[in-house]
Amino acid sequence: MSIILNNISKSYNKVKAVDDISFEVKPGELFGLIGPDGAGKTTLFRILTTLLIQDKGNATVAGYDVLKQYKDIRNHVGYMPGRFSLYQDLTVEENLNFFATIFGTTIAENYDLIKDIYVQIEPFKDRRAGKLSGGMKQKLALSCALIHKPKVLFLDEPTTGVDPVSRKEFWEMLKRLQQKDITILVSTPYMDEAELCDRIALITNGKILQINTPGAIIASFPKKIFKVRSFNTYKLIEDLRIYPDTHSAYPFGEYLHFTPKSEAFRPMDLTKYLEERQHKEIEVKETVATIEDTFMDLSKANE
Amino acid sequence: MNRFIGFIKKEFYHILRDRRSLFILFGMPIVQVMLFGFAITNEINNVDIAILDHSKDVNTKEIINKIATSKYFSIKGFISHEDEIEPTFRKGKIKAVLNFEKNFSKNLVTQKKATVQILTDATDPNTANTISNYIGSILQNYQQELNQGLKLPYQIIPKTRMVFNPELKSVYMFVPGVMTIILMLVSAMMTSISITKEKELGTMEILLVSPLNPFQVIVGKVVPYILLSIINAVVIILLSIFVFKMPVQGSLFLLGAESTLFIINALSLGILISTVAATQQAAMMTSLMGLMLPVILLSGFIFPISSMPLPLQMISNIIPAKWFIIIIKGIMLKGVGLAYVWKETLILIGMTIFFIGLSVKKYKIRLE
Amino acid sequence: MTEDNMIQVENLTKMFGDFTAVNNISFEVGKGEVFGFLGANGAGKTTAMKMLIGISEPTHGNATVAGYNVLTHAEHVKRNIGYMSQRFSLYNDLTIKENIVFFGGIYGLSSADIKEKSQAMINELGLHDMADSLVGSLPLGWKQKVAFSVAMLHNPKIIFLDEPTGGVDPITRRQFWEMIYMEANRGVTIFVTTHYMDEAEYCDRVSIMVAGKIEALDTPKNLKRQFQVDSMNQVFLKLARNIE
């Protein structure tokens, strides 16, 4: 196992940031921690990268204990903190060079590993990091975290605040890295990114809701789910809220995702109800759940 | 070793690219020294003085006349008793009092010498010094006139006393003070800011999660500033010598060694601050309030320590700058060797070891 | 300009030296419309928004917001709009109540008015237990909901939301959008930027900015038809990729 967590807990002034979390990440796996801000993702990352000491439990990374063998871990992991932590006043190349030297290596030595990513920013290698766009900063930060050929790579919200195009490219890069035998633990608040991971842990309020492959998590959604649409979304929400058979109704893109309370629910009934309430262009169709549906369902059940 | 050099290289990039800080770092010492230097006027004009004449004889009258007719002084009052001297000064107008002893002429004739005391208000030490020099030369002129054609010369002995700032030894005392402030500022404030900057940026997290040990990180951050501070010290001393003709009496080598010691002391304070402060702003405020003010107020640079209330005098003992000022004043202005300042040097060494120990102990290998 | 246009932008351009951050954009937003303002990082969204809220001067072109020219009547514009950003919205070291009083005061609300509104807001958001706790101690989602209500305190005609839901959990994110819908339904114009493409689908109309220009502007439905894809995410990817 590349990463093992056993009953890890951590509190700040009585607030439980991480509450009894256990999971394992296999070598070469791309594992996602999916949850909103304040779920405890960053605390977990900091414990695993030996920056924080857990209150309870134990954990190993690449076979080393996070407490006793923290120096070994620091030699073998790459870490990209939440903000792209680069030296703004150093150029692209100087940043990379610096991180290579402090890890006792050179750019040339591990160029193979970062080539894919670095070629995209190499034309700007003499530009100061502070002058790069968000997407380019992200690529540089990833190159820096990889320059010493780590066994395990920790990426804390690498795509937050980055536009969808750069996000997509970033995930494509991660997929390619995975093929080079690097274990990757990545966190994100974007639920749509979950499906790109091998396995994911849904996390909220310091607790894990579920761990599995994205497919299995979606398949485990316990209810039938329908997508509903009408000409007036706001009115639709209001009317669904007072519909007696509503278990949940959430906006999802151009549709609302609706789950009924009763097993016997028929789409016809809902259509009729909405027609009575003067809705037009009504559409009620069964659909498949997404990770986000599952997340909301589980966190609602958890409250 | 490569790691370490790489680190220092990076630090120099930071420093050299931040033009504004760089300008402050090197512009400030020059501007400060120039300001202090030129604020010292060697010319005086129409300075108000008062006379306390216990003799009121021919000679004292002649001297008073000479002073009154010079363009440098104007006599603004006569007092009749020693008790009136201090209140006169306190009023603030009178900068000097001339106190002629009793039987001035008689002493001059019978003992061939007479004494006149020059009391100066040394709150403005440079002016005070200039005043007593000018009065001294007037007295000397008069003495030469008296002695023309005499076999046994008369002697008029001026006894200078500084009031309010009796410790004052020299007009050049601003140099040690300015040097102390600048070394403190550059060393302590700049290091603490540059370390907290990494915390703020989040790069400290990455450095911690790297094989560099904390000691290497700290030393790497500090070395460039040691160099900068030494350059600063050299610039200040060169300016004082060549622009203001300050004589450096003692060994330049000892001066350099003591300055380096003080620089290291200030750096360790800077590191200590950075272990406590989380942001650059906090580091700057702590350095300014915690270091600069005491250095300016309690080191004896501006206000003489001996005239402070006892509690402040005691506090001044824990301020490294106080000891450093004593040391470099001794070396620069009195030309003393290590034999005279070993005690102060030991105190500084002890403080440095204490600060370094404390910051190593406080330095976190983790985020908490 | 028609009566109903709350935002009217004509050939708006902003240059920083040689660099054209916003390149000759024109569009209008109607009353009660939810207008999604999308674009990649560095496409010029923030710069354009700053001009609309009257804190940055256009190099060329014209913009009217709430009926006032942003260049000549910036102060009137500011009085009639609300603004909320992801980075700064409320003071973390003040309580919810103190924040309300402070922001109410800025907009010149009377103390009776503030009292009444803050009570209404606390009721509506169900914040009774938290009204006296520091904003810094709230979960992000709550903070953003409170910030939105605070930005609506002075009944602005238009509200500008700059990535209001970044990092917020999915349930709260949706509650937030329900608040947006509610205000839009009351006739408030919503101008919103986001990186969540599903949120783009919630908007009445969406504009997509690429390299300082508006490359697409239509309803989500029409945009999807135009690009022959079935989600806004794909529209976005297609557009931004093609241009690069």
Side-chain angles (χ1 to χ4, degrees):
Chain A
M1 285 297 146
S2 257
I3 305 173
I4 302 173
L5 286 88
N6 288 319
N7 310 97
I8 293 285
S9 292
K10 172 84 191 171
S11 305
Y12 303 104
N13 313 317
K14 289 181 188 162
V15 178
K16 280 191 175 165
V18 169
D19 190 3
D20 197 28
I21 281 186
S22 307
F23 64 84
E24 293 180 352
V25 180
K26 295 176 204 133
E29 199 172 21
L30 176 55
F31 191 96
L33 271 179
I34 318 287
D37 276 17
K41 300 188 303 280
T42 299
T43 306
L44 213 51
F45 269 89
R46 287 182 169 165
I47 291 171
L48 292 175
T49 52
T50 74
L51 287 171
L52 284 180
I53 297 176
Q54 68 271 26
D55 299 337
K56 276 186 218 132
N58 57 64
T60 64
V61 172
Y64 303 109
D65 186 272
V66 290
L67 274 189
K68 289 176 215 122
Q69 293 163 299
Y70 73 93
K71 281 189 178 156
D72 296 300
I73 292 182
R74 290 178 181 192
N75 271 309
H76 291 111
V77 303
Y79 174 43
M80 192 171 141
R83 304 158 286 168
F84 308 131
S85 302
L86 298 163
Y87 294 103
Q88 313 285 328
D89 52 346
L90 262 52
T91 66
V92 169
E93 199 178 19
E94 285 162 356
N95 263 293
L96 196 58
N97 237 326
F98 171 70
F99 286 106
T101 28
I102 65 166
F103 279 95
T105 179
T106 59
I107 297 181
E109 207 172 312
N110 290 319
Y111 189 71
D112 258 10
L113 189 64
I114 59 160
K115 194 180 150 201
D116 235 18
I117 307 157
Y118 191 57
V119 285
Q120 302 176 48
I121 44 173
E122 216 166 10
F124 312 102
K125 65 179 184 186
D126 293 324
R127 195 180 284 188
R128 306 251 169 112
K131 296 244 158 84
L132 296 176
S133 73
M136 289 205 276
K137 273 186 195 163
Q138 181 196 40
K139 281 167 197 152
L140 176 56
L142 182 62
S143 302
C144 291
L146 279 172
I147 193 64
H148 59 295
K149 207 170 194 313
K151 290 180 184 159
V152 185
L153 186 59
F154 292 94
L155 307 170
D156 191 6
E157 298 206 7
T159 54
T160 293
V162 175
D163 65 75
V165 179
S166 306
R167 267 162 57 193
K168 187 158 184 282
E169 285 172 0
F170 192 80
W171 278 93
E172 284 161 6
M173 286 187 285
L174 291 190
K175 283 283 177 192
R176 284 196 294 273
L177 276 181
Q178 208 191 344
Q179 284 153 15
K180 295 183 176 158
D181 285 329
I182 296 177
T183 308
I184 304 174
L185 182 66
V186 59
S187 73
T188 177
Y190 298 101
M191 304 273 159
D192 54 346
E193 291 178 348
E195 288 170 46
L196 303 165
C197 302
D198 296 333
R199 285 195 306 143
I200 52 171
L202 300 180
I203 174 170
T204 190
N205 295 327
K207 284 192 177 135
I208 286 190
L209 297 170
Q210 200 170 15
I211 301 176
N212 217 326
T213 61
I217 285 184
I218 290 171
S220 75
F221 192 74
K223 300 176 190 72
K224 278 192 172 175
I225 187 161
F226 297 87
K227 51 181 190 182
V228 184
R229 173 160 77 172
S230 93
F231 77 110
N232 185 337
T233 315
Y234 179 61
K235 192 165 180 318
L236 186 62
I237 296 172
E238 283 198 320
D239 288 340
L240 279 177
R241 283 283 139 79
I242 50 172
Y243 183 59
D245 203 13
T246 299
H247 173 259
S248 70
Y250 294 116
F252 254 85
E254 58 182 319
Y255 291 95
L256 253 73
H257 278 193
F258 166 83
T259 56
K261 270 188 198 147
S262 64
E263 292 283 326
F265 170 80
R266 289 180 310 171
M268 279 166 53
D269 302 338
L270 181 57
T271 312
K272 215 176 125 200
Y273 166 78
L274 292 175
E275 273 167 358
E276 279 165 14
R277 294 189 163 250
Q278 274 84 47
H279 281 271
K280 288 181 198 120
E281 298 163 40
I282 299 164
E283 194 183 326
V284 181
K285 265 191 206 150
E286 184 159 4
T287 186
V288 276
T290 65
I291 298 284
E292 203 158 5
D293 287 302
T294 321
F295 185 92
M296 288 193 286
D297 189 59
L298 288 169
S299 54
K300 207 175 165 187
N302 223 352
E303 265 166 15
Chain B
M1 200 56 204
N2 251 339
R3 292 179 182 182
F4 192 62
I5 292 170
F7 200 107
I8 290 178
K9 216 164 96 189
K10 180 213 91 173
E11 267 334 290
F12 270 111
Y13 284 144
H14 289 322
I15 296 169
L16 295 177
R17 289 199 181 150
D18 187 358
R19 292 274 159 78
R20 236 179 325 164
S21 301
L22 202 64
F23 181 75
I24 293 173
L25 273 182
F26 287 103
M28 193 181 57
I30 297 174
V31 171
Q32 283 229 25
V33 172
M34 291 292 185
L35 273 180
F36 272 93
F38 285 117
I40 297 169
T41 48
N42 294 311
E43 283 288 308
I44 52 171
N45 245 323
N46 268 326
V47 171
D48 295 344
I49 62 171
I51 308 286
L52 171 55
D53 190 353
H54 291 292
S55 308
K56 297 201 171 112
D57 53 32
V58 191
N59 294 98
T60 64
K61 274 197 185 126
E62 278 178 9
I63 292 173
I64 292 167
N65 241 334
K66 270 199 173 290
I67 288 173
T69 51
S70 88
K71 63 172 178 172
Y72 306 116
F73 302 102
S74 74
I75 295 169
K76 279 285 151 74
F78 291 85
I79 51 180
S80 49
H81 199 271
E82 263 86 359
D83 292 347
E84 291 172 56
I85 293 175
E86 223 186 280
T88 310
F89 276 127
R90 287 217 185 277
K91 277 182 203 152
K93 281 255 163 114
I94 303 290
K95 296 288 175 214
V97 174
L98 238 56
N99 182 2
F100 296 94
E101 65 175 347
K102 268 186 189 157
N103 307 322
F104 192 87
S105 294
K106 203 175 146 199
N107 289 344
L108 213 53
V109 176
T110 58
Q111 297 168 19
K112 299 288 176 197
K113 61 179 180 189
T115 318
V116 53
Q117 192 184 29
I118 308 166
L119 295 118
T120 49
D121 174 357
T123 45
D124 177 359
N126 306 309
T127 316
N129 235 309
T130 319
I131 292 172
S132 57
N133 284 341
Y134 277 55
I135 296 178
S137 61
I138 291 175
L139 290 173
Q140 205 156 11
N141 268 341
Y142 178 70
Q143 183 185 315
Q144 269 169 6
E145 280 171 31
L146 278 184
N147 289 347
Q148 267 169 1
L150 283 181
K151 269 193 183 162
L152 263 178
Y154 295 130
Q155 241 189 315
I156 298 171
I157 303 165
K159 280 191 177 166
T160 308
R161 218 189 98 201
M162 300 283 181
V163 182
F164 299 130
N165 186 5
E167 262 188 357
L168 181 78
K169 293 296 191 298
S170 160
V171 286
Y172 296 109
M173 106 151 239
F174 79 92
V175 174
V178 169
M179 193 157 127
T180 309
I181 287 188
I182 285 171
L183 293 187
M184 194 57 137
L185 195 72
V186 172
S187 312
M189 190 155 105
M190 297 311 274
T191 26
S192 64
I193 287 178
S194 93
I195 295 177
T196 44
K197 190 174 171 189
E198 300 237 10
K199 286 196 202 174
E200 251 178 56
L201 218 59
T203 41
M204 192 52 105
E205 266 179 74
I206 300 188
L207 295 182
L208 285 173
V209 186
S210 79
L212 283 177
N213 68 41
F215 189 71
Q216 287 173 307
V217 174
I218 292 293
V219 174
K221 294 237 69 148
V222 155
V223 164
Y225 289 100
I226 294 186
L227 287 177
L228 282 183
S229 306
I230 290 177
I231 294 175
N232 259 328
V234 170
V235 168
I236 295 170
I237 292 173
L238 288 180
L239 273 180
S240 324
I241 294 175
F242 290 108
V243 181
F244 299 112
K245 316 277 183 247
M246 179 187 79
V248 172
Q249 317 272 4
S251 135
L252 276 175
F253 174 77
L254 184 61
L255 187 62
E258 296 280 1
S259 303
T260 311
L261 172 63
F262 181 68
I263 289 168
I264 295 173
N265 180 292
L267 289 172
S268 54
L269 267 172
I271 297 169
L272 194 60
I273 289 173
S274 70
T275 61
V276 191
T279 61
Q280 293 182 64
Q281 206 187 3
M284 196 164 95
M285 290 313 285
T286 319
S287 310
L288 282 177
M289 304 306 280
L291 298 179
M292 296 307 295
L293 280 184
V295 169
I296 294 173
L297 301 176
L298 294 176
S299 65
F301 166 37
I302 292 179
F303 306 108
I305 293 172
S306 59
S307 54
M308 284 175 197
L310 194 63
L312 284 185
Q313 284 194 31
M314 281 158 68
I315 292 174
S316 76
N317 285 330
I318 61 163
I319 291 168
K322 168 186 166 173
W323 305 106
F324 181 61
I325 288 184
I326 294 177
I327 293 171
I328 57 172
K329 257 159 80 179
I331 300 172
M332 283 185 187
L333 309 172
K334 291 190 229 159
V336 300
L338 190 58
Y340 288 88
V341 290
W342 66 271
K343 243 196 287 177
E344 288 81 5
T345 308
L346 267 187
I347 292 174
L348 265 189
I349 292 176
M351 284 178 165
T352 309
I353 292 172
F354 174 75
F355 291 140
I356 291 179
L358 198 61
S359 34
V360 167
K361 203 170 163 250
K362 288 210 106 185
Y363 187 81
K364 293 147 198 150
I365 54 161
R366 297 173 206 270
L367 282 178
E368 281 171 306
Chain C
M1 155 177 175
T2 61
E3 273 299 295
D4 271 357
N5 277 353
M6 291 308 288
I7 301 176
Q8 177 101 21
V9 177
E10 280 156 22
N11 309 328
L12 201 62
T13 300
K14 178 82 185 186
M15 322 243 314
F16 296 107
D18 287 338
F19 176 67
T20 312
V22 175
N23 192 354
N24 203 20
I25 60 170
S26 304
F27 62 89
E28 59 265 345
V29 183
K31 190 170 189 294
E33 190 175 18
V34 181
F35 189 82
F37 198 58
L38 312 186
N41 299 101
K45 280 177 302 176
T46 311
T47 313
M49 197 142 153
K50 277 186 182 160
M51 288 191 278
L52 294 185
I53 60 178
I55 57 176
S56 168
E57 243 179 60
T59 315
H60 301 296
N62 238 318
T64 348
V65 172
Y68 298 102
N69 188 305
V70 293
L71 199 59
T72 53
H73 292 88
E75 293 317 307
H76 287 89
V77 169
K78 288 178 193 168
R79 225 166 292 155
N80 285 288
I81 61 168
Y83 174 69
M84 171 199 162
S85 81
Q86 185 190 9
R87 261 151 309 181
F88 172 78
S89 36
L90 298 172
Y91 290 101
N92 280 328
D93 51 354
L94 299 184
T95 68
I96 294 181
K97 268 190 185 160
E98 286 161 352
N99 266 294
I100 297 174
V101 170
F102 172 75
F103 283 103
I106 283 190
Y107 282 101
L109 268 57
S110 70
S111 46
D113 219 11
I114 292 174
K115 211 172 176 184
E116 189 194 310
K117 287 201 171 180
S118 67
Q119 206 48 51
M121 187 193 303
I122 287 163
N123 286 337
E124 208 171 300
L125 295 174
L127 286 172
H128 301 280
D129 302 338
M130 294 187 254
D132 289 315
S133 45
L134 297 182
V135 165
S137 69
L138 294 178
L140 178 71
W142 280 105
K143 221 187 272 183
Q144 297 302 79
K145 283 203 272 185
V146 175
F148 180 74
S149 306
V150 167
M152 290 299 304
L153 261 184
H154 58 293
N155 293 324
K157 295 179 187 147
I158 307 168
I159 182 153
F160 289 85
L161 306 168
D162 192 3
E163 281 184 47
T165 55
V168 174
D169 72 84
I171 296 183
T172 316
R173 205 148 67 80
R174 286 178 170 76
Q175 290 168 347
F176 192 90
W177 270 90
E178 282 175 32
M179 291 171 73
I180 291 180
Y181 278 137
M182 200 172 80
E183 295 298 342
N185 217 43
R186 284 178 34 209
V188 178
T189 303
I190 314 281
F191 188 95
V192 59
T193 74
T194 179
H195 280 319
Y196 291 98
M197 285 304 123
D198 60 328
E199 292 186 347
E201 314 250 9
Y202 304 159
C203 301
D204 295 324
R205 281 191 311 146
V206 167
S207 81
I208 299 177
M209 249 182 122
V210 182
K213 288 186 175 162
I214 291 185
E215 292 294 340
L217 199 171
D218 213 327
T219 62
K221 209 174 176 180
N222 289 343
L223 285 176
K224 282 183 278 185
R225 195 182 303 145
Q226 186 190 335
F227 287 88
Q228 294 167 338
V229 291
D230 47 48
S231 75
M232 277 306 290
N233 195 30
Q234 286 164 302
V235 171
F236 192 91
L237 291 179
K238 253 190 162 168
L239 203 58
R241 277 268 163 87
N242 278 345
I243 305 281
E244 274 180 4

